[in-house]
Amino acid sequence: MTEKKNGLTYADAGVDIDAGNRLVDMIKPLVRATARPGADAEIGGFGGLFDLKAAGFKDPVLVAATDGVGTKVKIAIEAKLHAGIGIDLVAMSVNDLVVQGAEPLFFLDYFACGRLDPEATAAIVAGVAEACRESGCALIGGETAEMPGLYKDGDYDLAGFAVGAAERGTLLPTKDIAVGDAVIGLSSSGVHSNGFSLVRKIVERSGLGWDANAPFSPVMTLGGALLAPTKLYVKSCLRAIRETGAVKALAHITGGGFTDNIPRVLPPGLGVGIDLPRLPVLPVFKWLAEQGDIDELEMLRTFNCGIGMVMIVKAEAVEQVSAVLTEAGETVSLLGEVIAAEGEHRVVYSGHLDLAR
């Protein structure tokens, strides 16, 4: 075939196929490290495979979740700190799976950018693989899309897709949630991956750069501190569910905070009473509240305020469940109890958050 002297190529249009192939070669060892029973975690085919029987399930119900990282990505891009974003991506989906009592089985990611930087992208995928390993979840595939004209050079976005399973009859929430059940909280690692449009607005108002010392954590830069990865709750929560038989519901505290997320797992006519002084408010939230002059109720509906997962358990099993969670590495707080509640106000707060710095 004769070659046209001035013919355009895909590279001329801004898409580098060779860079994409180099990225695949770089991440293959990372992906293989996530192999688990049911999946060999090999990539390069047109689809990923998972064998439920090999994973040990007898009568499984599949549970699927998808999410992104939101405008936290913008901070990672501007601060040039990409490593933790991959952990965030996995956490946002697998934490949603465990809320329903499901064990994460496999994960796929979608990465879109203006111009592919194989090294930076490999750092992101390394975080994805690390979080998959920690969650017992195989990374069985993904997609990398280079789209000049839609994204600027240096910009990217990503989404994740997770599938888990639970044996039929073991899904959460249970049907016996009742007044008097205990509400406990598991500490967060920071802002996690919600509320970052407001976070960025607050940082803009402060006049600080991402490389400035964080006012709430002077040993870290502001960008590094705000990019602390979302905590993975999979192994600790699955252990508590399986070992105690006392867990009735879980609520992942994401967008909507306590106010909107906890009612999602409650039956009609029930709510929760939360004693706000019991929340272990992290320094980052105290700084955000002060710097942004944010109302307490707005904080509770926007941020996790220091609690990333809420658990409803049998009242008589609080000590047992807390002991299992503590042994699994969690910091546990007793926040309140299930109450009778009608109408839209199903999360009732008493006292006030400790927002003093």
Side-chain angles (χ1 to χ4, degrees):
M1 180 181 292
T2 58
E3 186 175 325
K4 294 182 179 180
K5 288 184 178 180
N6 298 315
L8 291 172
T9 67
Y10 213 1
D12 292 328
V15 178
D16 190 341
I17 295 175
D18 292 333
N21 291 334
R22 187 162 75 253
L23 171 65
V24 171
D25 289 338
M26 292 171 68
I27 66 176
K28 277 184 176 179
L30 303 172
V31 174
R32 288 192 188 108
T34 71
R36 55 153 290 158
D40 60 12
E42 287 290 339
I43 58 171
F46 288 95
L49 304 178
F50 194 93
D51 185 343
L52 282 166
K53 187 174 181 180
F57 287 91
K58 296 179 175 60
D59 185 18
V61 176
L62 294 179
V63 183
T66 183
D67 210 336
V69 184
T71 56
K72 187 175 187 177
V73 167
K74 191 69 174 172
I75 298 178
I77 292 169
E78 293 176 356
K80 295 180 172 58
L81 298 171
H82 309 289
I85 285 293
I87 299 174
D88 285 305
L89 183 66
V90 175
M92 294 303 290
S93 284
V94 298
N95 285 345
D96 281 354
L97 293 183
V98 78
V99 158
Q100 294 178 265
E103 173 188 339
L105 301 177
F106 59 86
F107 188 85
L108 299 97
D109 66 289
Y110 173 81
F111 179 88
C113 61
R115 183 178 296 276
L116 185 62
D117 180 340
E119 285 70 29
T121 308
I124 295 169
V125 177
V128 170
E130 177 186 340
C132 283
R133 288 195 305 273
E134 189 174 332
S135 303
C137 184
L139 178 57
I140 66 169
E143 169 68 6
T144 301
E146 195 173 16
M147 296 189 285
L150 186 57
Y151 295 91
K152 294 185 297 185
D153 282 1
D155 279 356
Y156 63 81
D157 197 10
L158 61 171
F161 311 87
V163 173
E167 293 292 356
R168 195 176 305 276
T170 66
L171 289 169
L172 298 180
T174 62
K175 298 183 183 303
D176 62 342
I177 298 173
V179 171
D181 285 338
V183 179
I184 62 178
L186 311 186
S187 293
S188 68
S189 56
V191 187
H192 286 183
S193 298
N194 297 99
F196 272 89
S197 293
L198 179 56
V199 168
R200 290 170 52 242
K201 196 79 173 175
I202 291 168
V203 172
E204 181 183 345
R205 175 186 284 192
S206 77
L208 296 173
W210 302 122
D211 58 352
N213 287 343
F216 51 89
S217 182
V219 298
M220 300 184 72
T221 64
L222 180 58
L226 290 173
L227 288 169
T230 305
K231 191 169 186 180
L232 293 153
Y233 295 101
V234 171
K235 288 189 174 179
S236 60
C237 287
L238 283 178
R239 182 174 168 186
I241 291 166
R242 292 166 176 172
E243 291 187 11
T244 71
V247 177
K248 295 188 175 185
L250 290 164
H252 187 198
I253 306 304
T254 55
F258 296 86
T259 307
D260 291 349
N261 281 296
I262 298 176
R264 295 168 67 182
V265 301
L266 296 173
L270 294 180
V272 296
I274 301 292
D275 187 10
L276 292 180
R278 296 184 181 184
L279 264 70
V281 182
L282 297 175
V284 60
F285 297 111
K286 297 181 181 185
W287 181 77
L288 289 169
E290 177 189 67
Q291 193 68 39
D293 193 25
I294 305 174
D295 177 82
E296 183 178 68
L297 290 177
E298 184 69 17
M299 289 292 296
L300 290 162
R301 199 180 182 191
T302 305
F303 299 116
N304 68 63
C305 295
I307 295 292
M309 185 72 77
V310 166
M311 185 177 284
I312 296 174
V313 305
K314 298 175 182 177
E316 65 273 17
V318 169
E319 289 187 9
Q320 179 193 12
V321 174
S322 297
V324 171
L325 290 167
T326 300
E327 190 175 309
E330 300 293 350
T331 300
V332 184
S333 302
L334 178 61
L335 302 179
E337 64 179 8
V338 175
I339 60 174
E342 297 292 343
E344 59 180 306
H345 300 296
R346 300 179 68 195
V347 180
V348 179
Y349 302 110
S350 61
H352 294 283
L353 292 173
D354 176 14
L355 294 174
R357 291 183 63 201

